[in-house]
Amino acid sequence: MDTYTHSNQNSSEKVILKLESISRHYENPAGESIPVLQSINLQVKTGDSIAIVGPSGSGKSTLLNIIGALDSPTSGRVLFQDRDLSRLDEKELAALRNRQVGFIFQLHHLLPQYTVLENVLIPTLANASKNRLNRAERRARDLLNRVGLESRMSYRPGILSGGERQRVAVVRALINNPKILLADEPTGSLDRSSADEVAKLIMELKHEQNVTLILVTHSLELADRMKYIFELTDGILKPYNEEDSI
């Protein structure tokens, strides 16, 4: 299978992520092995922005979960900054998910009993010193100001609009200065106006925070904002057009 890279980029840019022959199978109730991903190879360089499109059920979210160490492949390897994720124990994987990877989901997954500021700070609480927590709160306030939610910090999610809740989710994903940002249909539950606003914000923050971005989406309009587009069909990943080929 082809390994997709981006040879037109500056050669000094480092590869942050490698997928090597990633396959994922699930067993159905009859005991049959159902392939979801088939021998996927991909190299992602630091600073890339990549969209993965494809029909429902094609395995897009499964692939994103494997990249983010929320799931494991049936075969193949994921290398994140040259670390083979299959060789990490659960404590090391949890630390990687917390400190190196930011997740944005279609449904914001904010905790309704906590304020906006508290929701953003939740990923910073694991083994944090008082000084680190103070720095995290300053960063949280700065980011919430940046996305126009300075007057909403003490609000609970239930009284926010859908677009505002998703902006909180974006800030929460960035709070620990991740190396890579993974977004699963980040605008899928929003109306067109809110979707456009969140999409624009994600791209602005991607550049401002110098983070690598991989998102899956049904929206070609959102995908077109990315530098590269890949299509996942029948478990096989291919460039969406010639410009994304090597």
Side-chain angles (χ1 to χ4, degrees), residues 169-182:
V170 171
V171 171
R172 182 184 57 190
L174 292 169
I175 188 63
N176 280 333
N177 290 293
K179 300 296 184 184
I180 190 166
L181 186 62
L182 305 178

Side-chain angles (χ1 to χ4, degrees), residues 21 29 46 50 55 74 76-77 96 120 131 148 169-170 173 190 207 222 228:
S21 301
T46 299
I50 293 175
T74 303
R77 298 196 307 165
L96 182 141
V120 169
N131 284 340
V170 171
L190 303 176
H207 292 293
L222 175 58
Y228 303 102

Side-chain angles (χ1 to χ4, degrees), residues 5-9 48-52 223 226-230 243-244:
T5 59
H6 311 305
S7 57
N8 60 328
Q9 291 184 316
D48 273 350
S49 59
I50 293 175
I52 300 172
M226 304 299 111
K227 191 170 184 179
Y228 303 102
I229 307 176
F230 289 84
E243 284 73 20
D244 293 322

Side-chain angles (χ1 to χ4, degrees), residues 62-220:
T62 298
L63 179 58
L64 206 67
N65 287 341
I66 288 173
I67 292 171
L70 293 173
D71 193 6
S72 300
T74 303
S75 61
R77 298 196 307 165
V78 179
L79 290 92
F80 183 81
Q81 294 184 315
D82 294 324
R83 301 173 74 193
D84 184 346
L85 298 192
S86 68
R87 297 182 179 275
L88 303 185
D89 61 28
E90 186 50 46
K91 184 177 180 180
E92 291 170 319
L93 287 172
L96 182 141
R97 288 190 295 264
N98 181 253
R99 305 299 304 179
Q100 303 293 325
V101 183
F103 294 92
I104 307 170
F105 301 98
Q106 178 175 351
L107 299 177
H108 48 79
H109 296 315
L110 301 179
L111 298 178
Q113 67 271 36
Y114 295 114
T115 67
V116 164
L117 181 61
E118 289 167 343
N119 267 281
V120 169
L121 288 172
I122 285 171
T124 71
L125 299 179
N127 303 314
S129 65
K130 184 176 180 179
N131 284 340
R132 184 175 292 176
L133 287 174
N134 288 337
R135 290 196 300 271
E137 182 171 345
R138 289 195 296 271
R139 176 170 168 78
R141 290 181 180 276
D142 287 344
L143 285 170
L144 288 168
N145 284 336
R146 167 63 183 82
V147 302
L149 294 175
E150 61 274 8
S151 65
R152 302 287 194 270
M153 293 189 199
S154 63
Y155 287 23
R156 286 183 168 79
I159 60 175
L160 300 180
S161 70
E164 287 174 332
R165 288 194 291 268
Q166 199 65 331
R167 279 187 273 161
V168 176
V170 171
V171 171
R172 182 184 57 190
L174 292 169
I175 188 63
N176 280 333
N177 290 293
K179 300 296 184 184
I180 190 166
L181 186 62
L182 305 178
D184 190 353
E185 297 284 1
T187 62
S189 64
L190 303 176
D191 61 66
R192 184 179 181 85
S193 176
S194 296
D196 288 345
E197 182 180 289
V198 169
K200 180 182 177 186
L201 180 65
I202 288 173
M203 292 308 297
E204 290 175 351
L205 289 171
K206 174 252 182 297
H207 292 293
E208 291 171 15
Q209 301 295 315
N210 192 30
V211 64
T212 302
L213 172 63
I214 302 175
L215 64 81
V216 302
T217 183
H218 285 95
S219 169
L220 287 178

Side-chain angles (χ1 to χ4, degrees), residues 13-34:
E13 293 176 324
K14 294 182 178 179
V15 173
I16 189 173
L17 176 74
K18 291 183 184 180
L19 307 182
E20 297 182 348
S21 301
I22 294 295
S23 295
R24 186 67 167 97
H25 296 71
Y26 291 102
E27 192 173 287
N28 69 11
E32 301 169 323
S33 180
I34 306 300

